[in-house]
Amino acid sequence: MAHNRVKVVVRVRPTNSFAHDNIEILEESKVVMHSNKHAVGHINNQVSDWSFPMDRVFHNAAQESVYNDCVSQIVDKALDGYNGTVMAYGQTGAGKTFTITGSTENFQERGMIPRALSHLFQSINSMIEHSVIVRVSYMEIYNEILTDLLASEDEEPKTLTISEDAGVTIVKGLNVRLANNEEEALNLLFEGETNRVIAEHALNHASSRSHCVFTVHIESRSRTQSSSNFTLSKLNFVDLAGSERLGKTKSEGLTKKEAMYINQSLTFLEQVIIAVADRKREHVPFRQSKLTHVLKDSIGGNCNTVMIANIWGESGQLEETISTLRFGTRMMCVANEPLQNVHFDPVLLVKEYEQEIKSLKMELAMHDTLANRSKCIV
């Protein structure tokens, strides 16, 4: 990708009550302007206008447009061995889950994951010179507890733990299922979706109560070369639970407790973003929450990352909209260095070394034979 930083785009939830007097989207949707809103109170007693330059703004845009601009290239690079992450961030009810997963009732409204899976397997079918294996994992972070959404009912519950191996973040105990085609991959997605934790509150009748990470693991080997090299990449789709103002959602009991965990983890995420963007900082607190630890590879790592900032463009949601856009501008300051993940098959590598040794021995023997022959002639 052209960006050596996180790409940030804004997607506005369609509404008949768009706050035209408060929100201005400039031409080519490069900048979002927020002006003073006397009618609904004060956000800031001193500042009356806010300007947020972004990479792109989608207003009344179809899923296909968002996918083609934000995700398509990341999928192509994943097939070449580069890690990729697509992250949806924003307040509750702003359309994050719709963007990532989409609607199951309308084919045109399918989200980024189904479109990426279709794109991925279509590309694999045309890669006749490569053998590609696709595996899928799906987990959620609910109240700071990791849960495997693809665990079978008769399987004993496992305690998932986050660890690091050679700088790579790994979730131990997480099921990674083989997907031979698009249909199998979609079935795994839908299986995980049925296990997600959702609840109803004043702003959203089906609010996600957890952060979810759907990961596609791609292993690619050449069919035409006997090289021991192969690529192993990850494609993450992150549906972050929405930030909530308890006064608006009217959450109580368990839903209130969930909201507190969600808001706390998003606060930790913002602290990590600020720390990563500050090049003078020696320590980044990735381990202070499960979410930031899981996303360590995606934030300031060797990954192509795009964040879709979902906003709800109504006058009653302006404070949350400004908060989301501020987070987006901070995310744009995070530099990433995408690297191709090339690995070596130890068995094939040994065979290559054995063949090389054999060739060298034959070359040496031939050299000795020619040297002895030249002595006889003399």
Side-chain angles (χ1 to χ4, degrees), residues 365-378:
M366 185 178 296
H367 178 272
D368 291 343
T369 301
L370 292 174
N372 292 333
R373 181 178 298 174
S374 63
K375 289 180 180 180
C376 293
I377 295 174
V378 174

Side-chain angles (χ1 to χ4, degrees), residues 23-305:
I23 304 174
E24 180 185 4
I25 299 175
L26 300 186
E27 186 179 355
E28 192 50 33
S29 52
K30 290 295 182 181
V31 180
V32 179
M33 298 291 296
H34 291 260
S35 58
N36 193 27
K37 55 178 188 62
H38 300 291
V40 292
H42 296 284
I43 294 175
N44 188 302
N45 291 328
Q46 297 179 345
V47 179
S48 60
D49 296 289
W50 298 263
S51 178
F52 299 99
M54 297 287 172
D55 290 305
R56 182 77 186 269
V57 176
F58 294 95
H59 187 37
N60 294 326
Q63 296 275 57
E64 183 178 8
S65 298
V66 179
Y67 180 82
N68 289 339
D69 186 88
C70 302
V71 185
S72 178
Q73 190 177 2
I74 290 182
V75 174
D76 288 334
K77 297 298 289 184
L79 281 167
D80 290 334
Y82 293 86
N83 292 336
T85 295
V86 179
M87 183 187 310
Y89 177 92
Q91 75 173 103
T92 183
K96 299 179 300 300
T97 300
F98 176 79
T99 296
I100 293 295
T101 309
S103 170
T104 57
E105 301 174 356
N106 188 326
F107 183 75
Q108 296 300 322
E109 292 182 351
R110 66 195 190 282
M112 301 303 106
I113 297 177
R115 290 174 184 273
L117 294 175
S118 178
H119 178 180
L120 179 68
F121 282 101
Q122 286 180 15
S123 298
I124 290 173
N125 291 337
S126 65
M127 297 170 60
I128 57 177
E129 295 185 351
H130 287 80
S131 172
V132 182
I133 299 174
V134 176
R135 298 179 177 88
V136 167
S137 64
Y138 203 0
M139 71 172 181
E140 72 174 356
I141 305 172
Y142 173 72
N143 292 357
E144 277 299 289
I145 299 174
L146 296 174
T147 303
D148 188 349
L149 294 177
L150 296 181
S152 58
E153 294 182 358
D154 55 353
E155 184 179 340
E156 290 187 10
K158 296 179 182 178
T159 300
L160 304 183
T161 57
I162 306 171
S163 63
E164 295 178 33
D165 182 14
V168 178
T169 303
I170 300 172
V171 179
K172 292 185 177 180
L174 185 66
N175 277 299
V176 181
R177 302 270 200 91
L178 180 66
N180 293 303
N181 50 51
E182 179 185 350
E183 182 181 0
E184 290 185 7
L186 285 173
N187 286 338
L188 290 171
L189 169 64
F190 298 145
E191 178 184 334
E193 285 291 301
T194 60
N195 294 324
R196 291 183 62 171
V197 179
I198 61 173
E200 181 178 356
H201 56 64
L203 296 182
N204 193 348
H205 72 278
S207 173
S208 299
R209 313 311 294 162
S210 62
H211 308 296
C212 292
V213 183
F214 181 88
T215 303
V216 183
H217 308 261
I218 306 169
E219 180 181 327
S220 178
R221 299 173 183 265
S222 174
R223 295 182 189 271
T224 58
Q225 301 177 3
S226 59
S227 172
S228 61
N229 296 1
F230 67 97
T231 61
L232 192 61
S233 57
K234 293 191 301 183
L235 189 54
N236 300 313
F237 293 89
V238 185
D239 182 6
L240 297 172
S243 57
E244 299 182 14
R245 293 180 183 271
L246 297 178
K248 286 187 176 182
T249 60
K250 310 297 182 184
S251 299
E252 296 180 352
L254 178 60
T255 307
K256 179 179 180 180
K257 178 183 177 182
E258 292 167 343
M260 293 173 66
Y261 272 106
I262 291 169
N263 291 340
Q264 183 184 54
S265 63
L266 291 175
T267 298
F268 288 148
L269 176 60
E270 187 164 11
Q271 290 174 0
V272 165
I273 298 302
I274 293 172
V276 171
D278 186 355
R279 297 182 179 180
K280 296 181 181 179
R281 287 281 295 266
E282 295 182 358
H283 172 69
V284 179
F286 282 109
R287 300 192 181 196
Q288 65 181 349
S289 77
K290 297 288 198 313
L291 176 64
T292 53
H293 201 176
V294 166
L295 295 180
K296 183 177 180 180
D297 292 345
S298 304
I299 304 173
N302 66 338
C303 183
N304 289 310
T305 301

